[in-house]
Amino acid sequence: MNQTFTVQGMTCGHCEKAVTTAIKTLDPQAEVHIDRGQNRVDVNSLQPRESLAEAIREEGYSVDA
Amino acid sequence: MNQTFTVQGMTCGHCEKAVTTAIKTLDPQAEVHIDRGQNRVDVNSLQPRESLAEAIREEGYSVDA
């Protein structure tokens, strides 16, 4: 299931990796694609949207509703 | 020996950690303090200045001469 999040605060490649790792820790099968310039995180995962958003927030980034 | 570097491109806490780790990999005894807002990296180390600068550059940051 494709889910798109708008994530603020990703400033560099380390941030992309941190967000990717947070999502994959929650769901190792998840596919993650990040377009940092667009603040966009696309996730293919069966996990609930709010769980994925919370995993991103726990890394210190804000996720738009 | 206190050595100060002006480093461009550190945008977040991950970057500070990457620079710190790079320096400490070169010299585990090094003391490192980073003021990201000032692009300033202070290192207390006996390693040659150019070796420290190169370690920072290898992480993808530019170091002013």
Side-chain angles (χ1 to χ4, degrees):
Chain A
M1 181 170 56
N2 290 312
Q3 308 190 54
T4 297
F5 300 88
T6 301
V7 177
Q8 309 294 340
M10 299 184 296
T11 58
C12 71
H14 300 114
C15 293
E16 293 183 16
K17 190 159 171 18
V19 168
T20 301
T21 299
I23 293 167
K24 285 182 175 283
T25 298
L26 179 66
D27 176 5
Q29 272 86 52
E31 291 169 39
V32 182
H33 179 76
I34 298 180
D35 182 335
R36 178 154 42 99
Q38 302 288 330
N39 298 319
R40 178 178 172 139
V41 177
D42 289 304
V43 184
N44 190 350
S45 169
L46 295 175
Q47 288 291 313
R49 181 173 180 82
E50 194 41 52
S51 301
L52 294 163
E54 187 56 27
I56 297 169
R57 288 192 187 101
E58 281 174 4
E59 283 300 311
Y61 303 95
S62 66
V63 181
D64 294 0
Chain B
M1 182 171 55
N2 289 312
Q3 309 190 56
T4 297
F5 301 88
T6 300
V7 177
Q8 309 294 339
M10 299 184 296
T11 59
C12 70
H14 300 113
C15 293
E16 292 183 17
K17 191 159 171 15
V19 169
T20 300
T21 299
I23 293 167
K24 285 183 173 284
T25 298
L26 178 65
D27 175 5
Q29 272 86 52
E31 290 168 40
V32 182
H33 179 78
I34 298 180
D35 182 334
R36 177 153 43 98
Q38 303 288 331
N39 298 318
R40 177 177 172 141
V41 177
D42 289 304
V43 184
N44 190 350
S45 170
L46 295 175
Q47 289 290 313
R49 181 174 180 81
E50 194 42 52
S51 301
L52 294 164
E54 187 57 26
I56 297 170
R57 287 192 188 100
E58 281 174 3
E59 284 299 311
Y61 303 95
S62 67
V63 181
D64 295 0

